[in-house]
Amino acid sequence: MDGLNNNYRRVCRIRIVKEIILNQSQLDILTDHAMKSGQDESCAMLLGIQKEEQWNVKEIFLTKNVDGNPEVEFTISPEELLAGYKHAEEEHLELVGIFHSHPKSIALPSNTDRKFMGLNGDVPWIIFSGLTTDFKAFILKEDVEEIKIRIMEGIFSNKL
Ligand SMILES: [Zn+2]
């Protein structure tokens, strides 16, 4: 066995990366939605296909923030949640993420976010910061952990 072979083996011992996969136009839709919401947090349901620890976004279901305190919290109405789930079912998709924005703070889950992450299924949360204009994704396992956002160009197939 030579060194090259050893290196090859090392490289091939890859663990499955937890990641949420979107394309640029989906990110543009979310950015636009966040910007239009001004000082209020915006929110959306991300519908797609989950394969192990990869969440592949196929469709963005934009929702209204009906929270009484919309500058620092968000709530999707039960009616819109239901409509989102119904739409997902019709399209043979599932909920693969929850999106919301922080107009004036960085893209890290607030204490309220952490509390509610456990209640929305086992899906990633994507946060957009109006302050830094970047996206970050998190999932709640034993603790809240950051996961990768992979940006795919154009239309992609289910075969990843
Ligand atoms: Zn938040």
Side-chain angles (χ1 to χ4, degrees):
M1 188 172 313
D2 60 29
L4 191 71
N5 205 357
N6 275 333
N7 281 337
Y8 180 71
R9 279 161 192 265
R10 203 165 295 129
V11 168
C12 286
R13 211 181 295 137
I14 298 170
R15 291 172 55 211
I16 295 165
V17 182
K18 291 190 189 81
E19 59 182 10
I20 184 158
I21 304 160
L22 299 96
N23 62 36
Q24 188 58 52
S25 69
Q26 290 166 335
L27 289 176
D28 291 346
I29 289 168
L30 293 173
T31 306
D32 190 55
H33 185 50
M35 291 308 192
K36 279 183 181 154
S37 302
Q39 300 299 299
D40 290 348
E41 294 194 358
S42 59
C43 47
M45 295 167 76
L46 309 178
L47 311 179
I49 294 162
Q50 182 188 351
K51 209 167 119 190
E52 288 163 0
E53 306 221 87
Q54 290 181 316
W55 294 267
N56 194 335
V57 178
K58 299 286 185 188
E59 223 179 291
I60 310 280
F61 191 85
L62 296 178
T63 55
K64 277 198 229 70
N65 181 359
V66 296
D67 201 280
N69 199 8
E71 296 201 356
V72 287
E73 283 171 17
F74 76 97
T75 301
I76 301 171
S77 74
E79 292 78 16
E80 267 200 312
L81 270 178
L82 207 67
Y85 280 116
K86 190 164 175 267
H87 182 73
E89 202 180 307
E90 284 162 4
E91 303 291 320
H92 306 289
L93 301 174
E94 55 192 316
L95 183 74
V96 292
I98 300 279
F99 165 82
H100 80 287
S101 63
H102 287 172
K104 288 168 287 185
S105 61
I106 55 171
L108 284 178
S110 66
N111 288 335
T112 313
D113 292 339
R114 287 169 182 268
K115 200 170 85 193
F116 283 97
M117 280 177 88
L119 301 173
N120 283 285
D122 192 20
V123 296
W125 277 37
I126 290 191
I127 305 176
F128 172 79
S129 166
L131 199 65
T132 59
T133 66
D134 62 354
F135 288 89
K136 286 192 191 302
F138 303 87
I139 192 154
L140 180 69
K141 293 289 177 187
E142 289 90 55
D143 197 1
V144 173
E145 54 180 90
E146 186 172 354
I147 64 166
K148 190 182 167 187
I149 297 177
R150 182 143 64 99
I151 302 168
M152 299 284 282
E153 283 309 321
I155 293 162
F156 44 91
S157 75
N158 296 341
K159 282 182 231 137
L160 284 175

